[in-house]
Amino acid sequence: MHRRYRPWHYEDRIQRIHAAMPTAAIGADVMVGFPGESEEDFEQTRAFIERLPFTYLHVFTYSSRPGTPSAQMPAQVPVQKARERNRVLRELAARKNTASRAVRRRHATRSHLTQISQGRTEALTDNYQKLWLQVRSPRIECSPPASIP
C-alpha cells in the first residue's frame, strides 16, 4: 500500500512508546484481504499484532471498488476468506484489550470528574477509561485550607 515505513520501524516506535508509558492505550487500523494477501502474509500480520502491546484494533476487510487500481490487481482474496481473517484478528484484539485493561486497573491513575447525576459520578481517567462511581453521600465536606507558617 505504498507506506513509507516498514514493519520494523513501526514496531520500534510502538515498543518505545510502551517502554516510556506502559499504560498507554495503543491502537491501530488493520486491513485484511487486500489483493495478493497470502496465508503467509496474513500469518505474519497476526504474529506481528500478537507481539505488540496493542490495546485496541480497528479491523476492516478490504472491499473492491470499481475503477480503483486495487480492483484490477491479480490474486483477489475471496470474501469468505477475508471475513475469516477479520474474525481471527478481532478475537485477538479482544484478548489483547482484556489483558491491557487488567494491567491498567493495577496502576494508580488520575481522573477528572465529568458528570454527577442521580447518585452516580462519571469520571474519565488520564488514560481515557470511563468510570462510574457510586456516590454514598450527597454532601461533600471540605476542610479549610491549612495555614502556611
Side-chain angles (χ1 to χ4, degrees):
M1 291 201 43
H2 307 295
R3 299 289 187 239
R4 293 184 181 162
Y5 54 86
R6 296 288 175 243
W8 55 88
H9 298 130
Y10 187 78
E11 182 172 7
D12 176 65
R13 297 311 186 276
I14 297 297
Q15 296 293 9
R16 285 181 189 210
I17 291 166
H18 184 67
M21 191 176 177
T23 60
I26 302 171
D29 290 350
V30 182
M31 181 191 304
V32 296
F34 193 79
E37 180 185 68
S38 66
E39 285 295 329
E40 183 181 340
D41 294 333
F42 175 72
E43 178 50 33
Q44 286 178 2
T45 298
R46 191 209 57 75
F48 183 76
I49 292 167
E50 179 84 50
R51 72 176 173 263
L52 289 176
F54 287 116
T55 307
Y56 58 92
L57 296 175
H58 171 224
V59 182
F60 57 100
T61 304
Y62 166 81
S63 59
S64 182
R65 300 285 187 255
T68 62
S70 60
Q72 305 304 315
M73 292 174 72
Q76 296 285 321
V77 176
V79 173
Q80 287 306 105
K81 176 59 75 177
R83 286 182 181 158
E84 172 62 16
R85 292 173 180 176
N86 184 301
R87 183 192 62 74
V88 167
L89 292 187
R90 282 185 292 116
E91 288 176 0
L92 173 58
R95 289 191 306 273
K96 293 180 83 59
N97 183 273
T98 298
S100 174
R101 287 177 182 272
V103 166
R104 288 185 288 161
R105 276 189 209 109
R106 291 191 296 267
H107 290 271
T109 184
R110 293 180 185 200
S111 61
H112 309 280
L113 299 180
T114 58
Q115 178 181 349
I116 300 174
S117 66
Q118 299 177 345
R120 294 189 339 167
T121 300
E122 180 182 299
L124 188 64
T125 67
D126 59 0
N127 59 4
Y128 301 101
Q129 286 190 324
K130 189 180 287 187
L131 305 174
W132 285 100
L133 309 170
Q134 192 70 35
V135 177
R136 294 180 189 248
S137 170
R139 263 180 54 209
I140 298 175
E141 296 181 23
C142 297
S143 301
S147 58
I148 300 174

